[in-house]
Amino acid sequence: MTKPVLVIIDPAIKLPAGAERSTVEQSGDRLRLADPDQPQINVTDLGVTRGDGIFEAFGVSHGTVQAVEPHLSRLARSAKLLDLPELDLDVIEQGVRLAAREHEQVPFFMVKLIVTRGIEGVEEPTAWALAFVGDDYTARQQSGVKVVTLDRGYRHDVAQTSPWLLQGAKTLSYAVNRAVIREAKRRGANEVIFISSDGYVLEGPNSTVILKSGDTFVTPRTDQGILVGTTQHALFGIIESMGYATDYRYVEQHELTAADGLWMVSSGQQISAVVELDGNPLDHDHELTQELLKRLVERSL
Amino acid sequence: MTKPVLVIIDPAIKLPAGAERSTVEQSGDRLRLADPDQPQINVTDLGVTRGDGIFEAFGVSHGTVQAVEPHLSRLARSAKLLDLPELDLDVIEQGVRLAAREHEQVPFFMVKLIVTRGIEGVEEPTAWALAFVGDDYTARQQSGVKVVTLDRGYRHDVAQTSPWLLQGAKTLSYAVNRAVIREAKRRGANEVIFISSDGYVLEGPNSTVILKSGDTFVTPRTDQGILVGTTQHALFGIIESMGYATDYRYVEQHELTAADGLWMVSSGQQISAVVELDGNPLDHDHELTQELLKRLVERSL
């Protein structure tokens, strides 16, 4: 079994404003390889006591860390929504790359980056990057996913009206994102699409929703308290290069069943076709899905 | 400075159904004192990676752990909502009491109990009890709190319609509960009362709301996806013994300003009067608050 690689990161900006930013050389003492099988987190770290932190999950395909800049931008956005101290994205990037480099070079693996608010009372952020072989998504990629739609409980505009609900931040408070997968399994499915309380399509608990309507690929607008999809962003580039149109707009629930194709995309699974929605089979274009999967996996080669 | 005391607990039911439950003697090898200053949690524990776990915070007043049974019942309810394995409440109680006993016997301190889903892929729950001197609430108890009302984003009936949102469970996914306190501070206040998206009074991020209407003390009904308040429960017993009536009902937002008294109660602060609501001063009965505080602190002596 491939052994995970853990890099502990000291992630906060350390230099006064205006001073020279840390360089790769200077970052050395702010990165430290550690044993992932040994306890590394304090019981009063706010990451564990309050789910008070943020994360990103990078795919590493044939040695290349995918979508580094989109992930780091989203991390910075999440940090801002949570009023975390400013993060040193250079050092964090070095930590992610070090974990990827030290990991056994299997064709595809993940690097999960976590930043917490730190130990209560101290509140200097705790951070680490863990490289590991993630879930095997081959079956999903080949045979598709069965999806149920579940109420997210919030209106689609809640990020604007009530920013303290942290919608649009990728936080460690993911108990709901885990609970909905258990609910999906109880219903004989294995994936979820969240619907806003006023009927708009949002996102999956760990993925972005893409639908095809004629020759246009559509994803829900991200001003609805959902995450900017890093894999969706890459996919739209690929799709446009293939001659299709793309669109970010509000998507109503009834459009899911009427679509000419429906997919879930994320760093881990890359892309899977939705083959069943709320118990009803959906048409899907296997060849197109496989072509998109191939281009996504190979995008950085 | 008083040193925190950490007890690591092995919390899952170990015996087959029908076999003799663990006893205090047998629980010995399932409790272990550990150093809270040393890392104790694995980086792949779902408590920290997903906020996937539950907690309770017990007050310890003059050596007595308060409201043990209500806290343990609520823990079991939270565990059920999260589909966690059945917990051995006997062993957990012993762990909480051991932490309390080993802690320096200052007049008031806290024991925080946490149960996570455990290390990803293993998923045997991780649990610990940490005894520590919590925040000093003297100023709040004496001078009251300034409260802002904030939208919780969910309808009041969301626990019934959408149980996968885990409302009513005391989970580790508390990033929002922390964010609203930061929002309150930005607005010149120090506490929050959540309002449902359809206008009902819910709870604080870490406390229960009590209001007085004539000679009746009222708290919002707990079928609105809010927590059963352990301190509220003790307070209602005290209030009834003083000759007041009590009521659990739906409370509309406008009732807050019209009330004859408004309080926040929790294990740590016990009780504080709300003296300002959304920037407007509220009348409050200082003597009554102090009497209730005294009776709450001394209830178990």
Side-chain angles (χ1 to χ4, degrees), chain B:
Chain B
M1 197 184 131
T2 309
K3 190 168 159 53
V5 172
L6 175 63
V7 177
I8 307 287
I9 305 171
D10 180 0
I13 290 281
K14 287 296 181 318
L15 300 177
E20 197 188 343
R21 290 292 301 278
S22 60
T23 65
V24 178
E25 287 70 37
Q26 290 172 322
S27 73
D29 56 347
R30 292 172 59 187
L31 303 176
R32 176 171 63 83
L33 284 161
D35 183 352
D37 292 333
Q38 293 300 314
Q40 301 288 353
I41 312 300
N42 194 291
V43 291
T44 58
D45 192 292
L46 290 159
V48 64
T49 59
R50 300 291 186 185
D52 197 1
I54 56 181
F55 75 102
E56 289 292 330
F58 301 75
V60 185
S61 176
H62 299 282
T64 301
V65 185
Q66 296 186 318
V68 173
E69 197 284 321
H71 279 296
L72 292 176
S73 298
R74 190 167 69 181
L75 183 81
R77 198 173 316 126
S78 296
K80 197 159 180 220
L81 281 164
L82 265 74
D83 304 306
L84 287 168
E86 194 186 348
L87 300 177
D88 192 330
L89 297 181
D90 290 347
V91 167
I92 288 171
E93 179 178 344
Q94 295 303 322
V96 169
R97 292 192 184 280
L98 176 60
R101 208 159 56 232
E102 293 288 323
H103 191 269
E104 187 187 331
Q105 295 304 304
V106 296
F108 191 85
F109 62 96
M110 303 295 294
V111 177
K112 186 160 185 177
L113 170 72
I114 286 185
V115 182
T116 84
R117 198 177 301 275
I119 291 174
E120 189 158 11
V122 180
E123 299 186 23
E124 290 167 5
T126 305
W128 64 91
L130 183 74
F132 63 103
V133 176
D135 293 334
D136 182 357
Y137 286 112
T138 311
R140 292 174 70 129
Q141 292 165 336
Q142 297 303 319
S143 309
V145 284
K146 298 180 178 182
V147 170
V148 292
T149 53
L150 290 179
D151 172 30
R152 183 64 190 86
Y154 296 129
R155 292 184 320 273
H156 80 286
D157 62 349
V158 82
Q160 278 79 53
T161 63
S162 313
W164 50 84
L165 300 177
L166 305 180
Q167 293 302 289
K170 199 167 172 74
T171 80
L172 299 179
S173 286
Y174 255 39
V176 166
N177 300 52
R178 303 253 308 161
V180 294
I181 294 295
R182 294 193 297 273
E183 178 66 18
K185 287 182 177 162
R186 278 191 282 268
R187 298 183 184 196
N190 49 4
E191 192 45 276
V192 171
I193 293 178
F194 282 126
I195 308 294
S196 72
S197 60
D198 48 358
Y200 291 95
V201 174
L202 298 176
E203 61 189 348
N206 295 292
S207 54
T208 311
V209 175
I210 313 276
L211 60 159
K212 185 166 172 280
S213 176
D215 280 339
T216 303
F217 284 77
V218 177
T219 195
R221 282 172 56 146
T222 56
D223 59 357
Q224 301 174 91
I226 64 178
L227 295 178
V228 175
T230 55
T231 309
Q232 167 272 318
H233 179 259
L235 181 70
F236 271 24
I238 290 166
I239 283 167
E240 287 163 9
S241 77
M242 292 168 74
Y244 292 104
T246 59
D247 196 10
Y248 296 78
R249 65 170 170 83
Y250 296 127
V251 177
E252 294 183 52
Q253 181 167 7
H254 66 82
E255 295 185 60
L256 291 176
T257 41
D260 299 310
L262 184 61
W263 295 268
M264 310 291 283
V265 301
S266 64
S267 301
Q269 75 187 313
Q270 302 277 322
I271 186 166
S272 307
V274 179
V275 298
E276 187 182 297
L277 186 71
D278 291 325
N280 303 308
L282 278 192
D283 284 342
H284 55 103
D285 182 336
H286 183 73
E287 274 182 38
L288 177 58
T289 301
Q290 295 310 307
E291 176 66 22
L292 295 175
L293 174 62
K294 182 168 171 289
R295 292 188 184 219
L296 274 172
V297 170
E298 294 176 353
R299 65 184 124 141
S300 35
L301 302 187

Side-chain angles (χ1 to χ4, degrees), chain A residues 12-31:
Chain A
I13 290 281
K14 287 296 180 316
L15 300 177
E20 198 187 342
R21 291 291 299 278
S22 61
T23 65
V24 178
E25 287 71 37
Q26 291 172 323
S27 73
D29 57 347
R30 293 172 59 187
L31 303 177

